[in-house]
Amino acid sequence: MAALLLTSCSGGGSEPDDDVAGAQSAPPSEVPEGDEPEEPDDSDDDPDDGIDRPEIALPDDMTKEFEDVDTDDSDERAVLADQERFVAAVDGAVAEGEVGAALDFYAGGEAYISALELVERYADRGYRIGGPIRYYDRAVTLGRDGSATSSACVDFSRSYSVELQTGEQTPQGAEQGRYALSHELNGDGTWQVVGWTVTSGGDLCVSE
């Protein structure tokens, strides 16, 4: 089902610029969305930023591993944290089979529409994603007027698809993908994702 994600996700008119580190213009690809009752490292209950964030619940059998990025810039780190939250919110919605408060909070515009379509496709096929998913070679670029872009390679080699009716697990294989996201800083102080693509990683994403 990773292939499903790698072939179906495109955020429409708000896609990241080609000069974003790691972004590519290959055909949209499906990226397996995960599930586990666990939240990203930069979790939704951040007590310091003053933002009332919704909880993100993922399935027990999913873990998300985000490689750290070497930056001390507070805005860049905030974008990367909301990148993690958006990815987890999509995965949580796929696992639940419906859009929830977290996806409403972290996605907007064309990104929200494409995420909704992805959730519906997984639900129609009766699958979700489980297992460990690793995000590496992450990058962020701050734009002007409250905009930013970010990207990350995604390693699905240890993840698996889960058939909802039977619970049967099928390994994903060595699939590698790449996220490219456009962010806008909204009135709540969240770097909401307004455009995204998921493509085959190709030579850009070679897992160590």
Side-chain angles (χ1 to χ4, degrees), residues 1 4 8 90 93-94 96-99 103 112-127:
M1 296 299 288
L4 184 160
S8 66
V90 173
V94 167
E96 291 295 323
E98 61 183 12
V99 172
L103 195 53
Y112 181 86
I113 293 171
S114 64
L116 175 60
E117 291 171 348
L118 179 65
V119 170
E120 291 174 344
R121 276 190 288 270
Y122 270 97
D124 289 345
R125 288 163 175 76
Y127 285 89

Side-chain angles (χ1 to χ4, degrees), residues 24-143:
Q24 56 186 29
S25 57
S29 319
E30 299 184 320
V31 176
E33 302 302 345
D35 8 357
E36 167 178 295
E38 143 178 349
E39 301 172 9
D41 291 340
D42 292 282
S43 89
D44 302 305
D45 352 297
D46 187 341
D48 299 321
D49 64 7
I51 300 173
D52 184 15
R53 300 179 181 275
E55 180 181 356
I56 300 175
L58 299 175
D60 314 356
D61 62 344
M62 168 176 277
T63 56
K64 304 180 76 58
E65 306 165 8
F66 292 92
E67 182 182 82
D68 194 24
V69 177
D70 185 16
T71 176
D72 294 326
D73 185 283
S74 59
D75 287 332
E76 290 184 352
R77 297 201 68 82
V79 173
L80 291 166
D82 282 336
Q83 177 199 78
E84 296 180 21
R85 293 170 178 131
F86 167 79
V87 170
V90 173
D91 289 348
V94 167
E96 291 295 323
E98 61 183 12
V99 172
L103 195 53
D104 286 339
F105 192 85
Y106 291 110
E110 293 296 331
Y112 181 86
I113 293 171
S114 64
L116 175 60
E117 291 171 348
L118 179 65
V119 170
E120 291 174 344
R121 276 190 288 270
Y122 270 97
D124 289 345
R125 288 163 175 76
Y127 285 89
R128 66 168 176 83
I129 301 301
I133 301 176
R134 185 170 70 96
Y135 302 82
Y136 63 101
D137 283 350
R138 301 170 67 205
V140 57
T141 301
L142 296 176

Side-chain angles (χ1 to χ4, degrees), residues 185-200:
L185 184 62
N186 67 18
D188 295 326
T190 301
W191 288 93
Q192 194 174 55
V193 175
V194 295
W196 68 312
T197 58
V198 186
T199 56
S200 174

Side-chain angles (χ1 to χ4, degrees), residues 201-206:
D203 294 337
L204 289 174
C205 296
V206 179

